[in-house]
């Protein structure tokens, strides 16, 4: 899942200053699971905004809407219908950045603002704790590391073993809150007898496939429905 | 999608009283609603609040955890607390159907049938040979257990519903059954089992040997002389216990019940036996009478050992050891060994009997005569008052069908087959995580005081006690319901549930009704708003807040309180009367169930300060307390960010005993602030 | 004689660390370097050590070179991608700098620009492999260097941490395989533990120089125990410092340093001094331990 965290109410308040009819839009998928933007958090944020508006004597109408997700154009269409229905002048998104972009891409004249900081791809390890597990680097190395990702889970994204900073308790020198994943990788490889595999991992990662390259786009011709202006072989 | 789960307490009630709902109504402080719920199923609710053998309690799922909810005591509280309301309550009747029915017998069966018929627009006359209506309830059940005023309470209602009762008229002697058949479109025979069985042993006709029903009848009417010396009661059933305890009150020095059955086989309810014991009654098990001797008046009774009461098929077939005999001195003997019908009513009416004194019952409670029906014990054999009521309902339905009159909406329709609960016991692992909570039972006077008079032995729960006991009910079957379209499978509910109930299946989370304890913590925490708690719907806070604000428009203070914290609903009604403090008082079934957004709701309506009242140690869900405190902190963080003052949100733990406690809450609440923000 | 020659001749190697200033005036560090130079084979120039922004290690290494001193050019993977790293290495070589210490580098979070984006395009093994490529006359993409093969003498670091011994040895072995010709270790205080480590590190056949930090007081020792992974100052040493009068501290510190040097010198092939400003004392340690340039 994608993990995110609501921005502070102060930040949100500052952002929405020019608007008077705000549609808070959530995502009942990742952002729900992240306890950042599901239907319940939409209601919470909307309530907090109303209370603050009342408190500061400001005219503000806040509406709520939580589609299943916001990361496909079809969901955006639902949102736009809702915008029209409540004559909102702003979409305040509690979806991840994908949702915000989706709205912005499809509604040229509509304001959309993020109320969530999108953080990472990870796991909800326990109630209230989320951990980054994957960096979407474009060229998965987990086959070498026994399933534990050094790109996402090593503070330095090291490719060939731990730095010298692993703490005595096994935590990372950069953040004592996370374990040194390289220590875990080595322990696991030792247990599974796959230490040799570690040496096969490419030292020089191809970052052009990662977010460091150009914005990524995946086109599957085997899936794509051909249309008039999008012929086979066209990979725009 | 709403599941309709029948809890075992409800299913176990022979009249299918909606137990769970009346208990919830009591918790809500809606005692009048509770009464309406009770009466909808059982017009003899005041009576049953006193003397019901309460199979509902036997079925209560709390039994497996600690002890059952004191349902009968709560019921008694309800009928006692709502007398005033009840006296004005006039059940609406359907327009007259032009049909007429005569009911013979004013016991619970006859009355229940008469009520249903009358509500459905049938003109009903009940004929009762006694001077007072009520059947066994008024005539034989000892008044230390059931004062007649209580019976009257129930009967008054039935009268208000248009039922006419003619007393002092014996059918079969004063009026013939044929006459009734001619004058009415149908006749219901609800004759009960009016006579005690006797024994074919030497000496039964000696002076001082009585039959139980006669004995009790006379005692109840005050016509029984004081007793001296030893009293022997023959029998081990409830009637025997009533006789023995009555004998104690009539002054007997020594009262012994001799039962054919062993201790475990005794048909009397355990509590009847216990109470008899406490009052000094001795019980001898496994002996049957051989003869009574004496010179004109009984002086001694001889018994022999009973080696077996029932045969392998469970049929009554006693075997004796003649060598093992005892003889006991007896100044009085009362035979309480069973009852039979007095069928004077059908004398000469040509109605078929299956055995002498037993009217043959066909399907749909019909007799062999067209338009003549049976109800109650005369048909079912000996049982309890509530079973007689249930039988009355069933017969009324059959009669209405016969008459072609549709049953009125108010008529309690009994299913044709026995109700089966949808849920079984609370699973063991869930039970293991629950807190034990002491049961509050009805107050009982001391055995010595009880034995000294015919005053009622049991009291009524105080309001505070009834409320406390009602809170023990976990509203089985009204738990978490997941909307699979919304659920994102985040496992929050699973991780939150203090009882290990929630699981995530292939498509969505589930909280099996059988295991869910309806605390609602998961509903409060579900980020997708996918869970609703049937016991406490999502809209409830807003609904009740709106109501509170209507009573107190512009209130700047709101008190969201767990209604289990209230010793009395006066705290609420004083608000409703408009003389409370200028606060919006919002009673809720539980505050642990509140989501942050619920806690924020009053602020949206302009409150500047909110007090959350948690019932404290009285909480049925102490396991959820930590979660509650976290939720409140989260709300506090949001409120602070929204610009409210630090003292905006406050919590108070404890019980509210009086209206003055509001001041205490204001003064002693703990202000809640945001928790330390966690690291990213 | 520089470090490369000393190691080539299998002499007991001695280096000392110097840190470029935060600013443009290098006078003071240069003076210190001149003072230290006669006692050591080479001067390690730190690369924004602890992620605290300083004048670059390349720049100061060039200055040392111009002064006729022998720098060890420390290069971390934190601030440059593979293009920047190769470019800086070539620049160093063009000034005659050949001895390089390849490091992963501390994370920016540890330093004075904690919000900076770290690079770590390649890591230290990649860096050593890069140097190997340059030494073979090609860049990382296989393009030929116009000047032909470079001639770097790369070294690496190792933390002789007892808690993570296995992981550190794993990494050390990879460094050896990737071409590391010498190792400088994280500070050594606990000699028996270090001896354990050396028992296993010796098998790699690459010279190891024990890192020596001068403890200025007990507080510093405790701080290191708590904050520097892999470093353990034994209780005995902390107490020794605590029980010493303030005015005698420097002498005590030197005494401890010299003692450690004395104890480890037979286990290793050299020492690497990290004086953290106590340059004179560092020299005193070497003298007291009876270690001089051979
Ligand atoms: C001593 C005793 C204690 C009991 N204790 C309990 C208890 O604690 N809890 C409980 O639930 N149940 C108890 N019961 C059982 C309960 O009283 C009966 O189940 C119930 O009263 C049966 O109701 P019914 O309407 O079928 O008959 P009844 O209550 O017997 O009513 C029949 C009525 O018909 C009248 N009648 C009969 N023939 C004629 C006629 N020819 N003309 C006019 N009227 C006629 C009778 O006078 C009587 O009033 C007890 C019963 C007894 C005897
Ligand atoms: S301590 Fe481990 S996780 Fe942290 S930066 Fe070093 S190698 Fe990566
Ligand atoms: S706890 Fe309540 S709902 Fe459940 S069985 Fe008992 S009385 Fe019925
Ligand atoms: S908390 Fe809500 S969304 Fe999450 S698994 Fe449970 S029901 Fe589904
Ligand atoms: S309502 Fe309570 S008991 Fe039921 S599933 Fe939710 S958390 Fe568990």
């Amino acid at each position: 899942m994608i993990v995110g965290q609501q921005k502070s109410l102060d930040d949100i308040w500052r952002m929405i200053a020019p608007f008077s009819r705000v549609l808070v839009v959530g995502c009942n998928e990742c952002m729900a699971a992240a306890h950042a933007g599901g239907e319940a958090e939409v209601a919470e944020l909307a309530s907090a905004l109303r209370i603050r508006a009342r408190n500061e004597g400001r005219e503000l109408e806040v509406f709520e809407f939580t589609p299943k997700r916001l990361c496909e154009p079809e969901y955006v269409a639902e949102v736009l219908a809702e915008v029209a229905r409540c004559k909102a002048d702003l979409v305040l998104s509690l979806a991840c950045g994908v949702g915000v972009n989706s709205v912005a891409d499809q509604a040229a004249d509509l304001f959309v603002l993020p109320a969530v900081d999108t953080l990472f791809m990870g796991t909800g390890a326990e109630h209230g704790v989320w951990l980054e597990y994957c960096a979407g680097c474009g060229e998965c190395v987990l086959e070498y590391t026994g399933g534990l990702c050094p790109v996402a889970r090593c503070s330095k994204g090291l490719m060939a073993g731990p730095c010298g900073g692993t703490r005595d308790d096994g935590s990372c020198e950069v953040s004592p809150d996370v374990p040194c994943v390289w220590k875990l990788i080595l322990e696991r490889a030792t247990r599974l007898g796959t230490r040799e595999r570690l040496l096969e991992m490419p030292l020089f990662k191809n970052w052009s496939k990662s977010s460091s390259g150009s914005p990524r786009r995946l086109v599957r011709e085997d899936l794509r429905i051909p249309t008039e202006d999008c012929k086979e072989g066209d990979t725009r | 999608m709403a599941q309709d789960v029948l809890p075992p307490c409800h299913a176990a009630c022979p009249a299918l009283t909606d137990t769970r709902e009346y208990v919830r109504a009591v918790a809500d402080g809606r005692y009048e609603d509770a009464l309406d719920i009770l009466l909808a199923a059982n017009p003899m609710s005041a009576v049953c609040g006193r003397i019901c053998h309460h199979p509902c309690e036997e079925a209560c799922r709390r039994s497996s955890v600690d002890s059952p909810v004191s349902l009968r005591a709560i019921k008694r509280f309800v009928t006692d607390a709502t007398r005033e309301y009840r006296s004005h309550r006039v059940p609406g009747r359907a327009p007259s159907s032009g049909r007429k029915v005569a009911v013979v017998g004013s016991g619970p069966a006859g009355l229940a049938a008469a009520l249903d018929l009358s509500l459905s627009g049938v003109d009903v006359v009940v004929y009762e040979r006694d001077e007072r209506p009520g059947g066994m309830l008024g005539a034989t059940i000892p008044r230390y257990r059931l004062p007649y005023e209580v019976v009257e309470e129930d009967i008054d209602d039935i009268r208000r519903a248009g039922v006419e009762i003619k007393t002092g008229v014996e059918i079969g002697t004063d009026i013939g059954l044929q006459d009734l058949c001619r004058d009415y479109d149908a006749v219901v025979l609800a004759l009960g089992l009016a006579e005690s069985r006797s024994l074919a042993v030497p000496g039964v006709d000696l002076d001082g040997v009585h039959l139980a029903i006669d004995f009790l009848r006379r005692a109840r009417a005050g016509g029984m002389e004081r007793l001296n010396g030893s009293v022997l009661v023959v029998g081990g059933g409830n009637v025997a216990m009533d006789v023995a305890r009555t004998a104690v009150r009539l002054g007997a020095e020594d009262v012994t019940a001799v039962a054919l059955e062993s201790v475990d086989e005794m048909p009397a309810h355990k509590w009847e036996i216990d109470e008899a014991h406490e009052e000094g009654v001795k019980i001898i098990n496994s002996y049957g009478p051989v003869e009574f001797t004496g010179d004109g008046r009984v002086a001694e009774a001889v018994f022999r050992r009973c080696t077996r009461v029932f045969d392998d098929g469970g049929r009554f077939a006693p075997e004796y050891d003649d060598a093992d005999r005892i003889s006991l001195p007896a100044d009085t003997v009362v035979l309480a060994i069973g009852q039979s019908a007095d069928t004077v009513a059908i004398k000469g009416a040509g109605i078929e009997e299956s055995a002498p004194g037993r009217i043959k019952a066909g399907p749909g409670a019909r007799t062999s005569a067209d338009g003549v029906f049976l109800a109650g014990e005369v048909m079912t054999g000996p049982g309890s008052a509530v079973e007689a009521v249930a039988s009355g309902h069933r017969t009324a339905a059959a009669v209405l069908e016969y008459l072609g009159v549709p049953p009125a909406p108010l008529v309690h329709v009994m299913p044709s087959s026995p109700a089966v609960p949808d849920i079984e016991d609370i699973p063991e692992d869930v039970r293991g995580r629950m807190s034990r909570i002491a049961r509050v039972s009805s107050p009982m006077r001391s055995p010595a005081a009880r034995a000294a008079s015919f005053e009622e032995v049991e009291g009524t729960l105080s309001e505070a006690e009834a409320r406390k006991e009602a809170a023990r009910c976990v509203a089985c079957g009204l738990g978490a319901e997941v909307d699979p379209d919304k659920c994102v499978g985040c496992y929050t509910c699973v991780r939150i549930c203090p009882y290990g109930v929630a699981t995530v299946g292939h498509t969505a989370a589930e909280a099996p009704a059988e295991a869910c304890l309806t605390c609602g913590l998961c509903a409060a925490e579900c980020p997708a708003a996918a869970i609703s708690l049937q016991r406490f719907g999502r809209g409830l806070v807003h609904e009740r807040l709106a109501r509170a604000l209507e009573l107190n428009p512009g209130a700047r203070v709101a008190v969201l309180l767990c209604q289990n914290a209230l010793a009395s609903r006066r705290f609420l009604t004083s608000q409703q009367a408009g003389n409370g403090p200028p606060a919006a008082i919002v009673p809720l079934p539980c505050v642990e169930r509140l989501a942050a957004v619920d806690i924020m709701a009053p602020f949206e309506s302009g409150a500047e300060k909110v007090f959350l009242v948690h019932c404290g140690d009285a909480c049925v869900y102490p396991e959820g307390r930590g979660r509650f405190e976290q939720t409140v902190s989260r709300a506090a963080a949001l409120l602070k960010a929204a610009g409210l003052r630090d003292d905006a949100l406050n919590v108070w733990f404890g019980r509210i005993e009086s209206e003055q406690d509001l001041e205490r809450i204001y003064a002693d609440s703990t202000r809640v602030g945001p928790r330390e923000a966690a690291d990213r | 004689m520089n470090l490369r020659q000393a190691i080539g001749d299998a002499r007991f190697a001695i280096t000392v660390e110097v840190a470029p200033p935060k600013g443009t005036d290098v006078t003071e560090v240069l003076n210190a370097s001149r003072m230290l130079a006669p006692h050591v084979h080479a001067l390690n120039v730190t690369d924004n050590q602890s992620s605290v922004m300083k004048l670059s290690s390349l720049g100061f290494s060039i200055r040392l070179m111009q002064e006729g001193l022998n720098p060890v050019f420390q290069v971390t993977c934190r601030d440059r991608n593979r293009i920047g790293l190769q470019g800086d290495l070539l620049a160093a070589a063009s000034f005659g700098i050949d001895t390089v210490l390849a490091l992963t580098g501390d994370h920016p979070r540890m330093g004075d620009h904690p919000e900076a984006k770290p690079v770590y395009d390649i890591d230290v093994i990649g860096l050593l492999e890069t140097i190997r490529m340059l030494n073979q006359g090609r860049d990382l993409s296989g393009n030929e260097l116009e000047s032909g093969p470079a001639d770097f003498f790369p070294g690496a670091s190792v933390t002789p941490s007892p808690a993570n011994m296995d992981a550190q040895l794993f990494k050390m072995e990879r460094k050896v395989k990737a071409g590391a010709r010498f190792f400088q270790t994280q500070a050594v205080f606990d000699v028996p533990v270090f001896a354990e480590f050396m028992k296993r590190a010796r098998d790699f056949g690459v010279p190891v120089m024990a890192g020596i930090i001068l403890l200025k007081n007990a507080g510093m020792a405790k701080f290191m125990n708590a904050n520097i992974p892999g470093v353990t100052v034994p209780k005995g040493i902390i107490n020794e410092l605590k029980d010493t009068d303030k005015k005698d501290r420097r002498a005590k510190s030197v005494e401890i340093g010299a003692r450690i040097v004395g104890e480890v010198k037979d286990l290793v092939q050299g020492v690497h001094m990290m004086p953290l400003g106590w340059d004179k004392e560092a020299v005193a340690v070497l003298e007291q331990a009876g270690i001089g340039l051979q």
Side-chain angles (χ1 to χ4, degrees), chain B residues 453-466:
Chain B
S453 80
F454 280 95
E455 292 272 296
E456 204 178 351
V457 294
E458 196 193 71
T460 305
L461 296 179
S462 69
E463 185 185 4
E465 287 167 334

Side-chain angles (χ1 to χ4, degrees), chain B residues 62 88 131 141 145 172-173 201 210 231 264 266 275 318 323 387 460 463 466 520 529 579 591 609 613 620 632 665:
Chain B
R62 266 215 95 93
H88 304 301
E131 293 308 320
I141 298 183
R145 292 207 291 127
T173 25
V201 296
H210 304 268
V231 174
D264 298 331
M266 276 175 75
E275 286 170 25
E387 284 162 336
T460 305
E463 185 185 4
N579 45 18
V591 292
K609 241 178 164 176
V613 177
V620 215
V632 179
I665 294 169

Side-chain angles (χ1 to χ4, degrees), chain A residues 155-227:
Chain A
S155 299
K156 299 175 184 171
L158 301 183
M159 293 294 145
C163 70
T166 317
R167 293 168 195 250
D168 288 358
D169 66 357
S171 62
C172 168
E173 91 168 312
V174 181
S175 164
D177 296 337
V178 298
C180 168
V181 79
W182 267 108
K183 189 171 158 77
L184 300 182
I185 290 171
L186 275 168
E187 282 168 2
R188 189 168 157 80
T190 308
R191 210 175 307 119
L192 299 177
T194 55
R195 278 173 83 120
E196 290 305 306
R197 293 291 282 146
L198 293 172
L199 306 178
E200 291 164 27
M201 182 163 142
L203 274 179
F204 300 96
K205 199 167 165 51
N206 182 351
W207 291 113
S208 72
K209 294 186 176 179
S210 78
S211 60
S212 305
S214 56
R216 287 173 280 179
R217 171 181 157 92
L218 173 64
V219 179
R220 292 266 311 266
E221 289 306 344
D222 56 337
L223 300 180
R224 203 176 194 189
I225 302 162
T227 61

Side-chain angles (χ1 to χ4, degrees), chain B residues 7-10 19-20 23 59-62 69 71 472-476:
Chain B
C9 53
H10 185 166
T19 359
R20 186 178 61 193
V23 175
C60 172
R61 298 168 86 232
R62 266 215 95 93
V69 176
L71 296 166
R472 287 180 68 236
C473 168
V474 294
C476 300

Side-chain angles (χ1 to χ4, degrees), chain B residues 7-30:
Chain B
C9 53
H10 185 166
C13 174
L16 288 182
T17 304
D18 196 343
T19 359
R20 186 178 61 193
E21 281 312 304
Y22 79 74
V23 175
R24 288 179 68 209
V26 169
D28 278 358
R30 295 180 288 114

Side-chain angles (χ1 to χ4, degrees), chain A residues 5-6 9-10 28-33 35 37-41 43-56 68 117 119 124-129 177, chain B residues 484-488 490 492 495-496 524-530 538 556 595-597 600-601 603-607 627 634 638-639 641-645 678-680:
Chain A
Q5 189 179 34
Q6 249 182 52
L9 197 69
D10 281 342
N28 243 12
E29 200 70 58
C30 294
M31 283 308 116
H35 285 257
E39 190 172 316
E41 286 81 19
E44 262 174 31
L45 176 60
S47 173
L49 291 175
R50 286 186 204 110
I51 293 170
R52 183 148 176 180
R54 181 181 247 281
N55 216 30
E56 298 185 7
K68 190 151 191 60
D117 289 319
L119 299 178
E126 57 178 274
H127 189 46
V129 177
D177 296 337
Chain B
D485 289 343
K486 285 186 177 178
C487 172
V488 300
C490 68
T492 297
R495 293 167 181 177
I496 282 300
E525 201 80 0
C526 171
R538 289 201 92 87
R556 287 279 172 267
V597 71
M600 292 159 72
F603 295 99
E604 279 194 48
S605 308
R627 178 96 337 242
R634 196 146 54 89
L638 285 159
L639 291 167
L644 288 168
R645 288 179 15 188
D679 242 66
R680 281 202 172 179

Side-chain angles (χ1 to χ4, degrees), chain B residues 540-541 544-545 548 558-562 572 584-588 602:
Chain B
L540 191 73
V541 174
R544 295 211 175 161
L545 176 65
V559 180
L560 304 190
L561 58 85
C562 166
L572 302 176
I585 309 282
V586 187
L588 296 165

